[in-house]
Amino acid sequence: QSALTQPASVSGSPGQSITFSCTGTSSDVGGYNYVSWYQQHPGKVPKLMIYEVSNRPSGVPDRFSGSKSGNTASLTISGLQAEDEADYYCSSYTSSSTLVFGGGTKLTVL
Amino acid sequence: QVQLVESGGGLVKPGGSLRLSCAASGFTFSDYYMSWIRQAPGKGLEWVSYISSSGSTIYYADSVKGRFTISRDNAKNSLYLQMNSLRAEDTAVYYCARGRGYRNDYWGQGTLVTVSS
């Protein structure tokens, strides 16, 4: 049950688009379309932003989008806003019928 | 509205035990699988365990297998996590979360477990 690999940090300016990566294996990310993304502001509870690779729950702005290619999933935020500054975690279902999270990426809006 | 309220956290000595509870409301609890997810101070999220809607299917992370037991009482709309043989590395905020299609769409506020002598 190795954690999925995410970059520790990314940064961008307001209005820009940025993409987070989440790399796993064929036993998790690459094998199933059950990748989710969560946003967590400091001291707050994680919030589901994307599920099943590319679906947005109601209430999540369409600036957030998800995709997958092979063993790597991606979260893209277009039109970056100051309120998007947070930690972002990916998660995937695995071949062991468990769930696994990535280490998280800290987004800084410059 | 969906509400999940965890309780039972606190300070415990290494090797000790603790039982966490999660009270659910605002949805049909017995229709959903439920998860426990933890976050050590300053660290990332770690999935701990999930239990199916009926309680018949349960899975654990390797890090807690054999020490933690997840259970639920659908009549009481409650989820539990019995934690035994606690270690310093189990120190974390423990969240209960509603599961749906291998995603966790609602999370509680969390309860802090501190394992220290």
Side-chain angles (χ1 to χ4, degrees), chain B residues 21-36:
Chain B
S21 299
C22 172
S25 61
F27 65 102
T28 304
F29 182 71
S30 58
D31 283 349
Y32 291 85
Y33 82 82
M34 298 293 294
S35 289
W36 286 101

Side-chain angles (χ1 to χ4, degrees), chain A residues 1 38 40 45 51 97 99, chain B residues 39 50 61-62 103-104 107:
Chain A
Q1 291 178 352
Y38 301 87
Q40 186 180 34
V45 174
Y51 66 95
S97 300
L99 298 176
Chain B
Q39 187 169 34
Y50 73 68
D62 287 345
R103 65 189 182 268
N104 295 284
W107 298 54

Side-chain angles (χ1 to χ4, degrees), chain A residues 29-44:
Chain A
V29 173
Y32 307 92
N33 288 325
Y34 290 123
V35 176
S36 303
W37 289 89
Y38 301 87
Q39 175 193 65
Q40 186 180 34
H41 288 105
K44 300 297 186 182

Side-chain angles (χ1 to χ4, degrees), chain B residues 5-117:
Chain B
V5 180
E6 302 94 336
S7 61
L11 175 63
V12 61
K13 289 182 168 54
S17 297
L18 213 54
R19 189 194 196 208
L20 306 183
S21 299
C22 172
S25 61
F27 65 102
T28 304
F29 182 71
S30 58
D31 283 349
Y32 291 85
Y33 82 82
M34 298 293 294
S35 289
W36 286 101
I37 296 158
R38 68 185 181 183
Q39 187 169 34
K43 302 296 184 182
L45 300 172
E46 180 187 13
W47 172 79
V48 173
S49 178
Y50 73 68
I51 184 169
S52 63
S53 55
S54 66
S56 61
T57 300
I58 288 172
Y59 288 95
Y60 298 98
D62 287 345
S63 57
V64 307
K65 200 176 297 182
R67 300 187 299 122
F68 289 12
T69 302
I70 191 172
S71 62
R72 64 190 297 161
D73 186 335
N74 286 343
K76 295 183 177 180
N77 292 339
S78 293
L79 175 72
Y80 306 102
L81 186 68
Q82 177 67 42
M83 303 186 295
N84 298 331
S85 303
L86 282 161
R87 307 166 180 166
E89 54 265 36
D90 295 318
T91 294
V93 173
Y94 284 74
Y95 296 101
C96 75
R98 191 178 82 168
R100 189 174 177 186
Y102 304 114
R103 65 189 182 268
N104 295 284
D105 58 357
Y106 286 93
W107 298 54
Q109 291 297 313
T111 186
L112 177 62
V113 172
T114 303
V115 184
S116 174
S117 54

